[in-house]
Amino acid sequence: MEIPTIQWVITIVVILGLLAYDFFFHVRKAHEPTLKEAAIWSSVYVGIALLFGLLILGFDGTTYAAEYYGGYITEKALSVDNLFVFLIIMASFKVPREDQQKVLLFGIIFALIARTVFIFVGAAAINRWSALFYIFGLFLVYTAGKLIKGEVTSGSESDEGNNFMVRLAKRFLHTTDHYDGDKLFTIQNGKRALTPMLLVMVAIGATDILFALDSIPAIFGLTQEVYIVFTATAFSLMGLRQLYFLIDGLLDRLIYLSWGLAIILGFIGVKLILHALHENNLSFINNGEHVPVYEVGIQLSLTVIVGVLVVTVLASLYSPKGRALRVIQGSEKAAVDYLDLPEDASEEERTRLAEKLRSYEEKLPKVSQKHRDDLIESETHFHDVLTRARGAQERHADR
């Protein structure tokens, strides 16, 4: 696939333009995006990515288009998994909701830089040593195994918010414990100091590097065309900020996402190993000759990836455990929302939330004790929130 320089330049300019637009028209002024704003812009970025795939289809044919879409969907799925960690990092640093957009945009930019470096380094290494496919494949299979065992998780708040890079920054640099708007530096006791805003960006930047170690081998398992790898990766990161706010409440409902990603990474890992055997030049394997094995085509890869993701989402939302989680989370959120109502809240809003809470509470007895034990972090806290919400409703009714 020969890509002229002008096409590379135009592609990079478009991507940089989208990032610049995001910053100047959305992120520069600190605010929490509405659900409507997040939905519209998430759709816009997905539309741009799909349209780009159609351009590849028109100019380069179905094979490259399928490789692009396969890479885009895989990277998008991995990016959604990354959002779990971003959510935990920002919770551990208690980042104000209105400032989270800036942190996310930084994470996206840093992720794009890190992945671009890995893409070109990986492409150069593959061209010089095709046996690297063995390493990529085994690494993905190993990562899939760790996901299944639960060893690769979003981690605890303290773990993600206190990683090695953050500990170094806190040890050797003067830092504060409070935010100063969205500033990275502030003045404390007459001295210039780092704010937690900079530390959370360091934490996300360090995490992005680890994410790249998984995502780049995965997409190289679908295509070795550098241009497709780069564009699929870049467009999968575009709109990730809006997606965060759009599915924030749904992220922890995707309880089987790790299983889905494990199957996808394991499948791509096996695909890479089969490709490495087919192209084999290692003397200790079949005397350096090619091994006649079945090679997985891109159409089958795309079908498996999409199928696994669809099953994963449906199982997460509609399995007994998924339904139990929806009831438990819905009950707690409705209770908290009612408790947070201002004194001058309308009767219509109070009635709506009270009915919503009552609807969820009617379903709670149907949740098995096993699911309650698995999904409720603190039974005492859970019941306390519900009890206080009921009490607030009774006090308001007695007025």
PDB file of all heavy atoms in Angstrom, residues 354-387:
ATOM      1  N   ALA A 354     -38.725   9.840  43.325  1.00  0.00           N
ATOM      2  CA  ALA A 354     -39.316   8.939  44.315  1.00  0.00           C
ATOM      3  C   ALA A 354     -39.908   7.708  43.639  1.00  0.00           C
ATOM      4  O   ALA A 354     -39.742   6.571  44.122  1.00  0.00           O
ATOM      5  CB  ALA A 354     -40.388   9.678  45.116  1.00  0.00           C
ATOM      6  N   GLU A 355     -40.576   7.907  42.506  1.00  0.00           N
ATOM      7  CA  GLU A 355     -41.145   6.786  41.753  1.00  0.00           C
ATOM      8  C   GLU A 355     -40.046   5.898  41.178  1.00  0.00           C
ATOM      9  O   GLU A 355     -40.176   4.668  41.156  1.00  0.00           O
ATOM     10  CB  GLU A 355     -42.038   7.312  40.624  1.00  0.00           C
ATOM     11  CG  GLU A 355     -43.372   7.869  41.099  1.00  0.00           C
ATOM     12  CD  GLU A 355     -44.223   6.797  41.744  1.00  0.00           C
ATOM     13  OE1 GLU A 355     -44.265   5.674  41.207  1.00  0.00           O
ATOM     14  OE2 GLU A 355     -44.830   7.072  42.791  1.00  0.00           O
ATOM     15  N   LYS A 356     -38.992   6.523  40.731  1.00  0.00           N
ATOM     16  CA  LYS A 356     -37.862   5.758  40.177  1.00  0.00           C
ATOM     17  C   LYS A 356     -37.234   4.890  41.253  1.00  0.00           C
ATOM     18  O   LYS A 356     -36.939   3.709  41.028  1.00  0.00           O
ATOM     19  CB  LYS A 356     -36.827   6.735  39.600  1.00  0.00           C
ATOM     20  CG  LYS A 356     -35.689   6.070  38.854  1.00  0.00           C
ATOM     21  CD  LYS A 356     -34.779   7.129  38.238  1.00  0.00           C
ATOM     22  CE  LYS A 356     -33.641   6.485  37.452  1.00  0.00           C
ATOM     23  NZ  LYS A 356     -32.737   7.512  36.870  1.00  0.00           N
ATOM     24  N   LEU A 357     -37.035   5.469  42.445  1.00  0.00           N
ATOM     25  CA  LEU A 357     -36.456   4.707  43.551  1.00  0.00           C
ATOM     26  C   LEU A 357     -37.387   3.573  43.966  1.00  0.00           C
ATOM     27  O   LEU A 357     -36.937   2.441  44.204  1.00  0.00           O
ATOM     28  CB  LEU A 357     -36.179   5.637  44.736  1.00  0.00           C
ATOM     29  CG  LEU A 357     -35.639   4.974  46.005  1.00  0.00           C
ATOM     30  CD1 LEU A 357     -34.345   4.231  45.722  1.00  0.00           C
ATOM     31  CD2 LEU A 357     -35.426   6.017  47.098  1.00  0.00           C
ATOM     32  N   ARG A 358     -38.688   3.867  44.048  1.00  0.00           N
ATOM     33  CA  ARG A 358     -39.656   2.838  44.432  1.00  0.00           C
ATOM     34  C   ARG A 358     -39.646   1.675  43.431  1.00  0.00           C
ATOM     35  O   ARG A 358     -39.704   0.503  43.818  1.00  0.00           O
ATOM     36  CB  ARG A 358     -41.051   3.449  44.498  1.00  0.00           C
ATOM     37  CG  ARG A 358     -42.141   2.460  44.965  1.00  0.00           C
ATOM     38  CD  ARG A 358     -43.512   3.088  44.872  1.00  0.00           C
ATOM     39  NE  ARG A 358     -43.829   3.484  43.513  1.00  0.00           N
ATOM     40  CZ  ARG A 358     -44.227   2.631  42.558  1.00  0.00           C
ATOM     41  NH1 ARG A 358     -44.335   1.342  42.829  1.00  0.00           N
ATOM     42  NH2 ARG A 358     -44.501   3.055  41.346  1.00  0.00           N
ATOM     43  N   SER A 359     -39.544   2.004  42.137  1.00  0.00           N
ATOM     44  CA  SER A 359     -39.515   0.973  41.107  1.00  0.00           C
ATOM     45  C   SER A 359     -38.313   0.048  41.270  1.00  0.00           C
ATOM     46  O   SER A 359     -38.439  -1.180  41.162  1.00  0.00           O
ATOM     47  CB  SER A 359     -39.493   1.635  39.722  1.00  0.00           C
ATOM     48  OG  SER A 359     -39.322   0.673  38.705  1.00  0.00           O
ATOM     49  N   TYR A 360     -37.158   0.642  41.546  1.00  0.00           N
ATOM     50  CA  TYR A 360     -35.957  -0.184  41.745  1.00  0.00           C
ATOM     51  C   TYR A 360     -36.056  -1.007  43.028  1.00  0.00           C
ATOM     52  O   TYR A 360     -35.647  -2.179  43.069  1.00  0.00           O
ATOM     53  CB  TYR A 360     -34.709   0.697  41.784  1.00  0.00           C
ATOM     54  CG  TYR A 360     -34.182   1.075  40.414  1.00  0.00           C
ATOM     55  CD1 TYR A 360     -34.108   2.408  40.024  1.00  0.00           C
ATOM     56  CD2 TYR A 360     -33.753   0.102  39.521  1.00  0.00           C
ATOM     57  CE1 TYR A 360     -33.620   2.766  38.771  1.00  0.00           C
ATOM     58  CE2 TYR A 360     -33.267   0.440  38.271  1.00  0.00           C
ATOM     59  CZ  TYR A 360     -33.201   1.782  37.893  1.00  0.00           C
ATOM     60  OH  TYR A 360     -32.723   2.124  36.653  1.00  0.00           O
ATOM     61  N   GLU A 361     -36.582  -0.396  44.099  1.00  0.00           N
ATOM     62  CA  GLU A 361     -36.663  -1.107  45.376  1.00  0.00           C
ATOM     63  C   GLU A 361     -37.601  -2.307  45.286  1.00  0.00           C
ATOM     64  O   GLU A 361     -37.403  -3.310  45.993  1.00  0.00           O
ATOM     65  CB  GLU A 361     -37.125  -0.154  46.471  1.00  0.00           C
ATOM     66  CG  GLU A 361     -36.051   0.822  46.900  1.00  0.00           C
ATOM     67  CD  GLU A 361     -36.453   1.619  48.122  1.00  0.00           C
ATOM     68  OE1 GLU A 361     -37.542   2.223  48.097  1.00  0.00           O
ATOM     69  OE2 GLU A 361     -35.678   1.632  49.097  1.00  0.00           O
ATOM     70  N   GLU A 362     -38.605  -2.226  44.439  1.00  0.00           N
ATOM     71  CA  GLU A 362     -39.502  -3.366  44.249  1.00  0.00           C
ATOM     72  C   GLU A 362     -38.788  -4.541  43.596  1.00  0.00           C
ATOM     73  O   GLU A 362     -39.186  -5.694  43.773  1.00  0.00           O
ATOM     74  CB  GLU A 362     -40.699  -2.946  43.383  1.00  0.00           C
ATOM     75  CG  GLU A 362     -41.681  -2.024  44.096  1.00  0.00           C
ATOM     76  CD  GLU A 362     -42.807  -1.571  43.187  1.00  0.00           C
ATOM     77  OE1 GLU A 362     -42.721  -1.849  41.962  1.00  0.00           O
ATOM     78  OE2 GLU A 362     -43.765  -0.931  43.681  1.00  0.00           O
ATOM     79  N   LYS A 363     -37.741  -4.241  42.852  1.00  0.00           N
ATOM     80  CA  LYS A 363     -36.992  -5.302  42.178  1.00  0.00           C
ATOM     81  C   LYS A 363     -35.871  -5.864  43.043  1.00  0.00           C
ATOM     82  O   LYS A 363     -35.352  -6.951  42.757  1.00  0.00           O
ATOM     83  CB  LYS A 363     -36.392  -4.766  40.871  1.00  0.00           C
ATOM     84  CG  LYS A 363     -37.433  -4.273  39.871  1.00  0.00           C
ATOM     85  CD  LYS A 363     -36.763  -3.614  38.674  1.00  0.00           C
ATOM     86  CE  LYS A 363     -37.801  -3.041  37.701  1.00  0.00           C
ATOM     87  NZ  LYS A 363     -37.172  -2.322  36.575  1.00  0.00           N
ATOM     88  N   LEU A 364     -35.459  -5.136  44.088  1.00  0.00           N
ATOM     89  CA  LEU A 364     -34.326  -5.566  44.916  1.00  0.00           C
ATOM     90  C   LEU A 364     -34.513  -6.955  45.535  1.00  0.00           C
ATOM     91  O   LEU A 364     -33.552  -7.740  45.572  1.00  0.00           O
ATOM     92  CB  LEU A 364     -34.069  -4.536  46.018  1.00  0.00           C
ATOM     93  CG  LEU A 364     -33.131  -3.381  45.662  1.00  0.00           C
ATOM     94  CD1 LEU A 364     -33.073  -2.365  46.797  1.00  0.00           C
ATOM     95  CD2 LEU A 364     -31.733  -3.901  45.346  1.00  0.00           C
ATOM     96  N   PRO A 365     -35.723  -7.311  46.034  1.00  0.00           N
ATOM     97  CA  PRO A 365     -35.873  -8.646  46.632  1.00  0.00           C
ATOM     98  C   PRO A 365     -35.603  -9.783  45.658  1.00  0.00           C
ATOM     99  O   PRO A 365     -35.316 -10.916  46.078  1.00  0.00           O
ATOM    100  CB  PRO A 365     -37.335  -8.653  47.099  1.00  0.00           C
ATOM    101  CG  PRO A 365     -37.681  -7.219  47.308  1.00  0.00           C
ATOM    102  CD  PRO A 365     -36.934  -6.493  46.221  1.00  0.00           C
ATOM    103  N   LYS A 366     -35.695  -9.500  44.348  1.00  0.00           N
ATOM    104  CA  LYS A 366     -35.459 -10.551  43.346  1.00  0.00           C
ATOM    105  C   LYS A 366     -33.962 -10.782  43.082  1.00  0.00           C
ATOM    106  O   LYS A 366     -33.602 -11.746  42.405  1.00  0.00           O
ATOM    107  CB  LYS A 366     -36.152 -10.181  42.034  1.00  0.00           C
ATOM    108  CG  LYS A 366     -37.669 -10.040  42.160  1.00  0.00           C
ATOM    109  CD  LYS A 366     -38.287  -9.608  40.840  1.00  0.00           C
ATOM    110  CE  LYS A 366     -39.790  -9.397  40.983  1.00  0.00           C
ATOM    111  NZ  LYS A 366     -40.409  -8.931  39.719  1.00  0.00           N
ATOM    112  N   VAL A 367     -33.118  -9.875  43.600  1.00  0.00           N
ATOM    113  CA  VAL A 367     -31.668 -10.021  43.418  1.00  0.00           C
ATOM    114  C   VAL A 367     -31.164 -11.079  44.387  1.00  0.00           C
ATOM    115  O   VAL A 367     -31.400 -10.986  45.603  1.00  0.00           O
ATOM    116  CB  VAL A 367     -30.943  -8.679  43.666  1.00  0.00           C
ATOM    117  CG1 VAL A 367     -29.429  -8.869  43.572  1.00  0.00           C
ATOM    118  CG2 VAL A 367     -31.419  -7.639  42.664  1.00  0.00           C
ATOM    119  N   SER A 368     -30.492 -12.090  43.871  1.00  0.00           N
ATOM    120  CA  SER A 368     -30.005 -13.179  44.723  1.00  0.00           C
ATOM    121  C   SER A 368     -28.946 -12.686  45.698  1.00  0.00           C
ATOM    122  O   SER A 368     -28.260 -11.685  45.450  1.00  0.00           O
ATOM    123  CB  SER A 368     -29.417 -14.298  43.857  1.00  0.00           C
ATOM    124  OG  SER A 368     -28.205 -13.875  43.254  1.00  0.00           O
ATOM    125  N   GLN A 369     -28.818 -13.412  46.805  1.00  0.00           N
ATOM    126  CA  GLN A 369     -27.828 -13.027  47.815  1.00  0.00           C
ATOM    127  C   GLN A 369     -26.417 -13.111  47.262  1.00  0.00           C
ATOM    128  O   GLN A 369     -25.551 -12.313  47.616  1.00  0.00           O
ATOM    129  CB  GLN A 369     -27.956 -13.941  49.046  1.00  0.00           C
ATOM    130  CG  GLN A 369     -27.121 -13.501  50.238  1.00  0.00           C
ATOM    131  CD  GLN A 369     -27.482 -12.107  50.715  1.00  0.00           C
ATOM    132  OE1 GLN A 369     -28.652 -11.771  50.864  1.00  0.00           O
ATOM    133  NE2 GLN A 369     -26.468 -11.266  50.930  1.00  0.00           N
ATOM    134  N   LYS A 370     -26.182 -14.080  46.366  1.00  0.00           N
ATOM    135  CA  LYS A 370     -24.849 -14.223  45.760  1.00  0.00           C
ATOM    136  C   LYS A 370     -24.491 -12.958  44.976  1.00  0.00           C
ATOM    137  O   LYS A 370     -23.374 -12.444  45.095  1.00  0.00           O
ATOM    138  CB  LYS A 370     -24.816 -15.431  44.834  1.00  0.00           C
ATOM    139  CG  LYS A 370     -23.462 -15.641  44.142  1.00  0.00           C
ATOM    140  CD  LYS A 370     -23.502 -16.857  43.246  1.00  0.00           C
ATOM    141  CE  LYS A 370     -22.139 -17.110  42.595  1.00  0.00           C
ATOM    142  NZ  LYS A 370     -21.654 -15.968  41.815  1.00  0.00           N
ATOM    143  N   HIS A 371     -25.427 -12.464  44.173  1.00  0.00           N
ATOM    144  CA  HIS A 371     -25.163 -11.250  43.399  1.00  0.00           C
ATOM    145  C   HIS A 371     -25.037 -10.035  44.308  1.00  0.00           C
ATOM    146  O   HIS A 371     -24.229  -9.135  44.045  1.00  0.00           O
ATOM    147  CB  HIS A 371     -26.274 -11.033  42.365  1.00  0.00           C
ATOM    148  CG  HIS A 371     -26.214 -11.988  41.225  1.00  0.00           C
ATOM    149  ND1 HIS A 371     -27.331 -12.397  40.528  1.00  0.00           N
ATOM    150  CD2 HIS A 371     -25.157 -12.623  40.654  1.00  0.00           C
ATOM    151  CE1 HIS A 371     -26.971 -13.245  39.571  1.00  0.00           C
ATOM    152  NE2 HIS A 371     -25.665 -13.398  39.633  1.00  0.00           N
ATOM    153  N   ARG A 372     -25.810 -10.004  45.400  1.00  0.00           N
ATOM    154  CA  ARG A 372     -25.674  -8.898  46.348  1.00  0.00           C
ATOM    155  C   ARG A 372     -24.283  -8.894  46.953  1.00  0.00           C
ATOM    156  O   ARG A 372     -23.647  -7.849  47.084  1.00  0.00           O
ATOM    157  CB  ARG A 372     -26.728  -9.010  47.454  1.00  0.00           C
ATOM    158  CG  ARG A 372     -28.163  -8.836  46.975  1.00  0.00           C
ATOM    159  CD  ARG A 372     -29.149  -9.060  48.106  1.00  0.00           C
ATOM    160  NE  ARG A 372     -29.125  -7.945  49.038  1.00  0.00           N
ATOM    161  CZ  ARG A 372     -29.965  -6.933  49.011  1.00  0.00           C
ATOM    162  NH1 ARG A 372     -30.913  -6.881  48.087  1.00  0.00           N
ATOM    163  NH2 ARG A 372     -29.893  -5.965  49.903  1.00  0.00           N
ATOM    164  N   ASP A 373     -23.797 -10.074  47.325  1.00  0.00           N
ATOM    165  CA  ASP A 373     -22.456 -10.172  47.926  1.00  0.00           C
ATOM    166  C   ASP A 373     -21.369  -9.774  46.937  1.00  0.00           C
ATOM    167  O   ASP A 373     -20.375  -9.150  47.310  1.00  0.00           O
ATOM    168  CB  ASP A 373     -22.195 -11.605  48.415  1.00  0.00           C
ATOM    169  CG  ASP A 373     -23.106 -11.994  49.576  1.00  0.00           C
ATOM    170  OD1 ASP A 373     -23.638 -11.077  50.243  1.00  0.00           O
ATOM    171  OD2 ASP A 373     -23.291 -13.204  49.797  1.00  0.00           O
ATOM    172  N   ASP A 374     -21.562 -10.137  45.663  1.00  0.00           N
ATOM    173  CA  ASP A 374     -20.557  -9.844  44.630  1.00  0.00           C
ATOM    174  C   ASP A 374     -20.559  -8.379  44.215  1.00  0.00           C
ATOM    175  O   ASP A 374     -19.496  -7.811  43.916  1.00  0.00           O
ATOM    176  CB  ASP A 374     -20.798 -10.708  43.381  1.00  0.00           C
ATOM    177  CG  ASP A 374     -20.479 -12.171  43.623  1.00  0.00           C
ATOM    178  OD1 ASP A 374     -19.769 -12.460  44.614  1.00  0.00           O
ATOM    179  OD2 ASP A 374     -20.936 -13.019  42.833  1.00  0.00           O
ATOM    180  N   LEU A 375     -21.734  -7.755  44.183  1.00  0.00           N
ATOM    181  CA  LEU A 375     -21.879  -6.447  43.541  1.00  0.00           C
ATOM    182  C   LEU A 375     -21.994  -5.270  44.502  1.00  0.00           C
ATOM    183  O   LEU A 375     -21.740  -4.133  44.106  1.00  0.00           O
ATOM    184  CB  LEU A 375     -23.109  -6.464  42.619  1.00  0.00           C
ATOM    185  CG  LEU A 375     -23.083  -7.515  41.500  1.00  0.00           C
ATOM    186  CD1 LEU A 375     -24.414  -7.546  40.762  1.00  0.00           C
ATOM    187  CD2 LEU A 375     -21.943  -7.231  40.532  1.00  0.00           C
ATOM    188  N   ILE A 376     -22.362  -5.511  45.745  1.00  0.00           N
ATOM    189  CA  ILE A 376     -22.479  -4.417  46.705  1.00  0.00           C
ATOM    190  C   ILE A 376     -21.214  -4.358  47.543  1.00  0.00           C
ATOM    191  O   ILE A 376     -20.908  -5.301  48.290  1.00  0.00           O
ATOM    192  CB  ILE A 376     -23.717  -4.598  47.617  1.00  0.00           C
ATOM    193  CG1 ILE A 376     -25.000  -4.617  46.777  1.00  0.00           C
ATOM    194  CG2 ILE A 376     -23.785  -3.478  48.649  1.00  0.00           C
ATOM    195  CD1 ILE A 376     -26.263  -4.863  47.589  1.00  0.00           C
ATOM    196  N   GLU A 377     -20.469  -3.277  47.393  1.00  0.00           N
ATOM    197  CA  GLU A 377     -19.196  -3.160  48.106  1.00  0.00           C
ATOM    198  C   GLU A 377     -19.401  -3.097  49.612  1.00  0.00           C
ATOM    199  O   GLU A 377     -18.654  -3.695  50.376  1.00  0.00           O
ATOM    200  CB  GLU A 377     -18.439  -1.909  47.631  1.00  0.00           C
ATOM    201  CG  GLU A 377     -17.963  -1.999  46.192  1.00  0.00           C
ATOM    202  CD  GLU A 377     -17.132  -0.803  45.804  1.00  0.00           C
ATOM    203  OE1 GLU A 377     -16.795   0.006  46.688  1.00  0.00           O
ATOM    204  OE2 GLU A 377     -16.817  -0.676  44.608  1.00  0.00           O
ATOM    205  N   SER A 378     -20.399  -2.330  50.046  1.00  0.00           N
ATOM    206  CA  SER A 378     -20.696  -2.207  51.474  1.00  0.00           C
ATOM    207  C   SER A 378     -22.201  -2.269  51.659  1.00  0.00           C
ATOM    208  O   SER A 378     -22.914  -1.325  51.318  1.00  0.00           O
ATOM    209  CB  SER A 378     -20.133  -0.891  52.040  1.00  0.00           C
ATOM    210  OG  SER A 378     -20.607  -0.690  53.359  1.00  0.00           O
ATOM    211  N   GLU A 379     -22.688  -3.394  52.186  1.00  0.00           N
ATOM    212  CA  GLU A 379     -24.117  -3.557  52.404  1.00  0.00           C
ATOM    213  C   GLU A 379     -24.637  -2.500  53.377  1.00  0.00           C
ATOM    214  O   GLU A 379     -25.742  -1.962  53.204  1.00  0.00           O
ATOM    215  CB  GLU A 379     -24.391  -4.957  52.971  1.00  0.00           C
ATOM    216  CG  GLU A 379     -25.864  -5.340  53.026  1.00  0.00           C
ATOM    217  CD  GLU A 379     -26.370  -5.915  51.713  1.00  0.00           C
ATOM    218  OE1 GLU A 379     -25.581  -6.550  50.988  1.00  0.00           O
ATOM    219  OE2 GLU A 379     -27.560  -5.712  51.429  1.00  0.00           O
ATOM    220  N   THR A 380     -23.831  -2.172  54.383  1.00  0.00           N
ATOM    221  CA  THR A 380     -24.237  -1.169  55.369  1.00  0.00           C
ATOM    222  C   THR A 380     -24.432   0.191  54.716  1.00  0.00           C
ATOM    223  O   THR A 380     -25.444   0.870  54.944  1.00  0.00           O
ATOM    224  CB  THR A 380     -23.188  -1.058  56.488  1.00  0.00           C
ATOM    225  OG1 THR A 380     -23.015  -2.343  57.102  1.00  0.00           O
ATOM    226  CG2 THR A 380     -23.625  -0.047  57.544  1.00  0.00           C
ATOM    227  N   HIS A 381     -23.456   0.601  53.898  1.00  0.00           N
ATOM    228  CA  HIS A 381     -23.554   1.892  53.214  1.00  0.00           C
ATOM    229  C   HIS A 381     -24.736   1.908  52.254  1.00  0.00           C
ATOM    230  O   HIS A 381     -25.471   2.903  52.183  1.00  0.00           O
ATOM    231  CB  HIS A 381     -22.257   2.171  52.453  1.00  0.00           C
ATOM    232  CG  HIS A 381     -22.336   3.382  51.569  1.00  0.00           C
ATOM    233  ND1 HIS A 381     -22.299   4.659  52.054  1.00  0.00           N
ATOM    234  CD2 HIS A 381     -22.470   3.496  50.206  1.00  0.00           C
ATOM    235  CE1 HIS A 381     -22.408   5.525  51.053  1.00  0.00           C
ATOM    236  NE2 HIS A 381     -22.508   4.844  49.924  1.00  0.00           N
ATOM    237  N   PHE A 382     -24.944   0.804  51.538  1.00  0.00           N
ATOM    238  CA  PHE A 382     -26.029   0.709  50.570  1.00  0.00           C
ATOM    239  C   PHE A 382     -27.382   0.912  51.261  1.00  0.00           C
ATOM    240  O   PHE A 382     -28.215   1.715  50.825  1.00  0.00           O
ATOM    241  CB  PHE A 382     -25.966  -0.648  49.874  1.00  0.00           C
ATOM    242  CG  PHE A 382     -27.051  -0.880  48.864  1.00  0.00           C
ATOM    243  CD1 PHE A 382     -27.043  -0.219  47.648  1.00  0.00           C
ATOM    244  CD2 PHE A 382     -28.095  -1.769  49.134  1.00  0.00           C
ATOM    245  CE1 PHE A 382     -28.046  -0.427  46.708  1.00  0.00           C
ATOM    246  CE2 PHE A 382     -29.095  -1.988  48.206  1.00  0.00           C
ATOM    247  CZ  PHE A 382     -29.071  -1.313  46.985  1.00  0.00           C
ATOM    248  N   HIS A 383     -27.602   0.180  52.354  1.00  0.00           N
ATOM    249  CA  HIS A 383     -28.869   0.300  53.073  1.00  0.00           C
ATOM    250  C   HIS A 383     -29.011   1.670  53.723  1.00  0.00           C
ATOM    251  O   HIS A 383     -30.123   2.209  53.810  1.00  0.00           O
ATOM    252  CB  HIS A 383     -28.980  -0.797  54.129  1.00  0.00           C
ATOM    253  CG  HIS A 383     -29.337  -2.136  53.561  1.00  0.00           C
ATOM    254  ND1 HIS A 383     -30.534  -2.383  52.932  1.00  0.00           N
ATOM    255  CD2 HIS A 383     -28.633  -3.295  53.492  1.00  0.00           C
ATOM    256  CE1 HIS A 383     -30.571  -3.636  52.514  1.00  0.00           C
ATOM    257  NE2 HIS A 383     -29.422  -4.215  52.835  1.00  0.00           N
ATOM    258  N   ASP A 384     -27.899   2.244  54.160  1.00  0.00           N
ATOM    259  CA  ASP A 384     -27.955   3.567  54.791  1.00  0.00           C
ATOM    260  C   ASP A 384     -28.438   4.625  53.800  1.00  0.00           C
ATOM    261  O   ASP A 384     -29.264   5.477  54.137  1.00  0.00           O
ATOM    262  CB  ASP A 384     -26.574   3.935  55.327  1.00  0.00           C
ATOM    263  CG  ASP A 384     -26.556   5.337  55.932  1.00  0.00           C
ATOM    264  OD1 ASP A 384     -27.272   5.559  56.923  1.00  0.00           O
ATOM    265  OD2 ASP A 384     -25.836   6.204  55.398  1.00  0.00           O
ATOM    266  N   VAL A 385     -27.931   4.562  52.563  1.00  0.00           N
ATOM    267  CA  VAL A 385     -28.339   5.528  51.537  1.00  0.00           C
ATOM    268  C   VAL A 385     -29.824   5.389  51.243  1.00  0.00           C
ATOM    269  O   VAL A 385     -30.564   6.383  51.167  1.00  0.00           O
ATOM    270  CB  VAL A 385     -27.508   5.338  50.249  1.00  0.00           C
ATOM    271  CG1 VAL A 385     -28.075   6.178  49.115  1.00  0.00           C
ATOM    272  CG2 VAL A 385     -26.053   5.712  50.484  1.00  0.00           C
ATOM    273  N   LEU A 386     -30.303   4.144  51.083  1.00  0.00           N
ATOM    274  CA  LEU A 386     -31.717   3.925  50.796  1.00  0.00           C
ATOM    275  C   LEU A 386     -32.594   4.391  51.956  1.00  0.00           C
ATOM    276  O   LEU A 386     -33.656   5.000  51.753  1.00  0.00           O
ATOM    277  CB  LEU A 386     -31.979   2.445  50.507  1.00  0.00           C
ATOM    278  CG  LEU A 386     -31.284   1.842  49.278  1.00  0.00           C
ATOM    279  CD1 LEU A 386     -31.763   0.408  49.059  1.00  0.00           C
ATOM    280  CD2 LEU A 386     -31.547   2.658  48.024  1.00  0.00           C
ATOM    281  N   THR A 387     -32.163   4.101  53.195  1.00  0.00           N
ATOM    282  CA  THR A 387     -32.940   4.492  54.377  1.00  0.00           C
ATOM    283  C   THR A 387     -33.038   6.008  54.494  1.00  0.00           C
ATOM    284  O   THR A 387     -34.108   6.560  54.790  1.00  0.00           O
ATOM    285  CB  THR A 387     -32.306   3.910  55.647  1.00  0.00           C
ATOM    286  OG1 THR A 387     -32.261   2.475  55.535  1.00  0.00           O
ATOM    287  CG2 THR A 387     -33.111   4.295  56.882  1.00  0.00           C
TER     288      THR A 387
END
